[in-house]
Amino acid sequence: QVQLVESGGGSVQAGGSLRLSCAASGYTFSSLSMGWFRQAPGKEREGVAGIDPQGVNARYAESVKGRFTISKDNAKNTLYLQMNSLKPEDTAMYYCAAGEARWWLLLQRDAYNYWGRGTQVTVSS
């Protein structure tokens, strides 16, 4: 049974940093693409960053390019999202996902089969 458990969320002031982690179990970690998505109140869930199974190729939403970095440690079965220069508009519940997403679909919600329960990120101005 695939399980994804996010951690690392919290409250931070604008300009600050957070690192999210997603611990995965129940499957061969290096076999699936993974992504980070976020959902703010009243908005749809959107793709933030995605990475291929080997952890080599990544894609980012335009709104986070240059500020967020996704990485994948296949030895630790853990996905990360380093978030720098945080803005109030980054406030949302952040979810990790895993699936057989091709590179051009890494930011597409429907390309993922498995989801964690989320971790809250709140950025104050």
Side-chain angles (χ1 to χ4, degrees), residues 9 11 19 22-23 35 46-47 52 56 58 60 62-63 70-71 74 81-82 96-97 100 107 112:
S11 296
R19 187 175 83 154
C22 173
E46 63 173 352
D52 67 5
V56 173
Y60 296 91
E62 287 296 325
S63 59
I70 188 171
S71 61
N74 286 345
L81 184 68
Q82 178 66 44
C96 125
E100 296 181 351
L107 299 181
Y112 292 88

Side-chain angles (χ1 to χ4, degrees), residues 31-86:
S31 68
L32 295 180
S33 296
M34 297 193 76
W36 286 101
F37 289 74
R38 66 186 181 187
Q39 188 168 16
K43 294 188 176 181
E44 291 197 357
R45 192 171 298 189
E46 63 173 352
V48 174
I51 195 164
D52 67 5
Q54 292 73 35
V56 173
N57 298 302
R59 296 196 75 177
Y60 296 91
E62 287 296 325
S63 59
V64 306
K65 274 184 181 178
R67 300 189 299 122
F68 290 11
T69 302
I70 188 171
S71 61
K72 192 172 184 275
D73 188 334
N74 286 345
K76 295 183 178 180
N77 287 5
T78 303
L79 177 74
Y80 301 100
L81 184 68
Q82 178 66 44
M83 306 186 295
N84 298 328
S85 302
L86 283 161

Side-chain angles (χ1 to χ4, degrees), residues 4-9 20-22 36-39 45 92-97 115-121:
L4 303 173
V5 180
E6 302 94 337
S7 62
L20 305 183
S21 299
C22 173
W36 286 101
F37 289 74
R38 66 186 181 187
Q39 188 168 16
R45 192 171 298 189
M93 184 73 78
Y94 282 71
Y95 299 89
C96 125
W115 294 84
R117 293 191 175 187
T119 185
Q120 177 68 38
V121 171

